[in-house]
Amino acid sequence: MTEKKPFEIARETLKQLTAKKLLPTPVNYQSIYNEIAGIPLIQPFPEEQLRLIAQSLPTKNPGQQKQKGLLEYAIGQRNWPGVQSALVGYAGFALPGGTPSESAPEPVAPIASVPAFTAEFMEQIARMVEYSLPALGNDDARFQEQVDKLLQTLRDPAADVIGIKTLLANFSHRLSFAAEDQAEIKNTLLKLLHLIIENIGELSVDDSWLKGQTDALMEAASPPLTLRRLDDVERRLKDVIFKQTEAKGRALEAQEELRSMLAIFVERLSQMTESSSSFHSKMEESVSLIEQAKSIEEIAPVLKEVIGATRAMANESLTVRDELQAMREKTQATEAELVKLHRELDRVSAQARHDTLTGALNRQGLDEALHREVSGMQRRDSPLCVALLDIDNFKKINDERGHAAGDAALTHLATVARECMRPQDSLARYGGEEFVILLPDTPLDKGVDAMTRLQRELTRRFFLDGNEKILITFSAGVAQFERDEAGLEAIQRADRAMYLAKRAGKNRVMAA
């Protein structure tokens, strides 16, 4: 017999529904279809009906509450044995007074037979214990043995719940003490840090630039402390320290130049003094010879020698004057360069990693933010998304309204984006009218939702060019980082998704 094809079975099913005058409901259709196809008819799991039953069950004591929770879990898993086990357990607590009798203790089932205590659930608890170990230290060998035993028990399918409960109670007791110690250590270190910063500020009252930096440090070191805030301060200070070191080195060079010029000045002054003394002696000698001369012939050689000495003295004075003038100009140039370096110190932190027009991170700032967020993603095993935004029809804005309007439109988008973003998100100008947003602790679907919310916000907040309202839209691609994916690779995937959004009609968000 030739096996019927699915469309033939479907056609025969519709015929029989009509012949038997049955309503074309999914249940009737499935029943006849399975009968024709020779497929066993399996009744669907009555999840909604069972949930109504579970919701109507009273919870007069902790035992009933626990079994009701197990029942709801089994219903969600469509697990008939689990439903049966939970109902039997619930009935054991439905005695007069609402508590089980002392002669009939609560039955403890093996982990494998209780849906709430699956191997996956126990593995999650074990990982949670392992994640908390770094905060406890390793100075207590006996406690380390207890932890090893707890982890081994959690990963043992044959372990009993009572034993696990006892081990977890001991661990949580120790963990509470460790948490208190870490909180106290953190507060003490924070106080010491504040004390150091305050002392630095007091020692540098006359240095307004350094005083401003200590004030910024004090603000950054205020609770609540986060790794992101500390990383931002560290990166900013690295720029400041680099520029300060450069200024200090240039200042030392300037001091050395000034010291050298002063030495030359003293030397020239000494030479001028010697020359002046020699010149005066020569003049006195010449005057004496002139007084003793008895004829013009005797005076002429003396006058020639006086003229030569005078000319040499004048030439030497001019040379010294030129040298001192050159040293003065060099000193003024060095002072101007130092003033310029110190002015740059006031701007270096903001300019090093931020786009001057929009205030968003520039490419260098984006590279460092990518490195930080990818490292955090790998360390915490948490999702990380990157979105690439491109303003729609930006060239038209520039051509019709001028580059000033285009710059204002970029600034408007950056401002709205920052106000819609979370504190932990990062905004960077990727180039031209393209922006990148990093979204830590965000899966792909939530990243798409975040960009969609930003689009809606831009439709509510028009860009004003003079008195005219202009609607700014953007197309975006969103990509979620893979475990070992480099930052540039994820951005390229988001870029390809963004181009798909452009081709699909613009003002859209596409997932990579």
Side-chain angles (χ1 to χ4, degrees):
M1 181 178 178
T2 305
E3 184 178 352
K4 292 185 178 181
K5 296 180 180 180
F7 75 87
E8 294 176 337
I9 299 174
R11 185 170 56 195
E12 183 65 26
T13 301
L14 292 175
K15 288 181 180 180
Q16 291 198 21
L17 280 173
T18 304
K20 295 180 180 181
K21 298 181 180 180
L22 296 175
L23 293 175
T25 62
V27 174
N28 291 337
Y29 182 88
Q30 187 69 50
S31 176
I32 297 178
Y33 185 95
N34 288 6
E35 180 182 348
I36 297 173
I39 301 173
L41 181 62
I42 301 175
Q43 295 297 330
F45 188 87
E47 182 175 352
E48 294 184 4
Q49 293 84 350
L50 289 175
R51 286 199 182 278
L52 292 175
I53 294 174
Q55 291 173 4
S56 64
L57 291 176
T59 53
K60 297 182 179 179
N61 54 62
Q64 289 182 337
Q65 185 174 3
K66 175 183 176 182
Q67 294 301 323
K68 181 179 179 180
L70 294 177
L71 174 60
E72 292 175 346
Y73 178 85
I75 294 171
Q77 298 295 315
R78 296 175 174 264
N79 183 353
W80 276 116
V83 172
Q84 180 181 356
S85 176
L87 288 174
V88 171
Y90 180 87
F93 287 93
L95 298 174
T99 58
S101 64
E102 296 181 359
S103 60
E106 178 185 357
V108 179
I111 293 177
S113 66
V114 182
F117 298 147
T118 61
E120 182 182 358
F121 178 74
M122 288 303 178
E123 178 60 28
Q124 289 178 352
I125 296 179
R127 285 201 298 268
M128 182 180 66
V129 172
E130 289 175 334
Y131 293 156
S132 64
L133 291 180
L136 301 176
N138 54 4
D139 55 340
D140 190 338
R142 183 173 177 276
F143 176 71
Q144 188 61 43
E145 292 178 1
Q146 293 177 347
V147 172
D148 293 340
K149 183 178 179 181
L150 171 60
L151 293 174
Q152 183 180 0
T153 305
L154 286 170
R155 288 169 173 149
D156 181 6
D160 65 278
V161 176
I162 298 299
I164 293 176
K165 180 180 178 181
T166 302
L167 292 173
L168 278 175
N170 294 334
F171 176 79
S172 62
H173 182 67
R174 169 61 187 265
L175 184 62
S176 66
F177 282 108
E180 292 177 2
D181 289 344
Q182 291 298 320
E184 188 63 28
I185 291 172
K186 180 179 177 180
N187 290 334
T188 303
L189 288 175
L190 191 58
K191 290 178 182 178
L192 291 175
L193 178 61
H194 281 187
L195 182 61
I196 292 172
I197 296 173
E198 288 175 358
N199 287 339
I200 292 175
E202 292 297 328
L203 292 174
S204 57
V205 175
D206 296 333
D207 193 335
S208 59
W209 175 82
L210 186 57
K211 184 65 166 60
Q213 293 300 315
T214 57
D215 292 342
L217 271 176
M218 185 68 77
E219 180 181 355
S222 301
L225 286 179
T226 63
L227 287 176
R228 177 180 295 277
R229 292 181 65 185
L230 294 177
D231 286 345
D232 289 342
V233 173
E234 180 185 5
R235 289 193 305 277
R236 184 160 61 91
L237 284 181
K238 280 182 179 178
D239 274 340
V240 171
I241 292 171
F242 173 78
K243 211 61 178 173
Q244 190 178 29
T245 303
E246 182 183 359
K248 182 179 179 181
R250 191 67 190 90
L252 292 176
E253 291 177 8
Q255 291 176 5
E256 188 62 32
E257 290 176 0
L258 289 173
R259 190 181 295 111
S260 175
M261 286 187 289
L262 182 59
I264 293 173
F265 175 77
V266 172
E267 181 182 356
R268 290 289 183 270
L269 190 62
S270 176
Q271 290 176 356
M272 287 185 65
T273 302
E274 292 178 1
S275 299
S276 179
S277 299
S278 175
F279 178 76
H280 284 297
S281 298
K282 192 67 177 178
M283 291 299 101
E284 290 176 358
E285 181 182 351
S286 298
V287 170
S288 178
L289 290 174
I290 291 173
E291 290 177 349
Q292 296 175 7
K294 296 179 180 179
S295 65
I296 295 298
E297 288 77 9
E298 294 178 353
I299 294 175
V302 175
L303 290 176
K304 185 177 180 180
E305 190 173 347
V306 168
I307 291 172
T310 302
R311 183 180 290 112
M313 182 66 183
N315 290 336
E316 185 174 358
S317 297
L318 288 174
T319 301
V320 172
R321 186 198 66 181
D322 292 341
E323 289 180 352
L324 292 177
Q325 181 66 26
M327 284 190 289
R328 179 184 178 184
E329 292 174 354
K330 188 175 182 180
T331 301
Q332 291 175 341
T334 302
E335 290 177 350
E337 185 177 355
L338 287 174
V339 170
K340 181 180 178 181
L341 282 172
H342 282 290
R343 286 176 179 172
E344 289 179 0
L345 284 172
D346 294 333
R347 308 190 309 266
V348 66
S349 294
Q351 291 182 345
R353 292 175 173 82
H354 290 82
D355 174 57
T356 55
L357 175 65
T358 63
L361 294 173
N362 57 21
R363 293 295 287 269
Q364 179 181 348
L366 174 61
D367 289 342
E368 295 184 357
L370 275 171
H371 177 73
R372 179 183 68 246
E373 298 300 348
V374 170
S375 299
M377 173 194 73
Q378 295 172 345
R379 184 175 62 250
R380 299 188 302 269
D381 193 21
S382 58
L384 171 63
C385 274
V386 58
L388 182 68
L389 288 63
D390 185 275
I391 297 180
D392 297 326
N393 305 316
F394 183 73
K395 185 176 183 301
K396 183 178 179 182
I397 296 177
N398 271 338
D399 293 343
E400 295 182 356
R401 301 182 178 276
H403 290 283
D407 290 346
L410 293 172
T411 303
H412 175 75
L413 173 62
T415 300
V416 176
R418 273 192 295 267
E419 293 176 0
C420 292
M421 289 161 48
R422 303 168 302 176
Q424 63 266 37
D425 299 334
S426 300
L427 173 68
R429 187 178 179 189
Y430 196 60
E433 64 272 24
E434 291 183 335
F435 291 85
V436 166
I437 299 180
L438 293 178
L439 303 161
D441 302 317
T442 304
L444 184 59
D445 58 338
K446 299 299 182 183
V448 172
D449 291 344
M451 293 305 99
T452 304
R453 286 195 299 272
L454 177 55
Q455 285 182 328
R456 287 199 296 264
E457 187 65 22
L458 278 171
T459 61
R460 287 193 290 266
R461 297 176 56 175
F462 287 92
F463 165 60
L464 290 177
D465 182 23
N467 295 325
E468 186 176 354
K469 293 182 179 180
I470 302 174
L471 175 63
I472 294 180
T473 64
F474 65 82
S475 301
V478 183
Q480 180 175 341
F481 278 78
E482 298 176 358
R483 177 66 184 175
D484 297 321
E485 187 175 23
L488 183 58
E489 295 174 355
I491 290 178
Q492 289 174 345
R493 289 198 294 117
D495 186 46
R496 290 193 291 269
M498 181 272 292
Y499 274 106
L500 290 177
K502 290 276 189 186
R503 294 179 61 183
K506 301 182 180 179
N507 194 23
R508 299 172 186 268
V509 179
M510 291 284 190

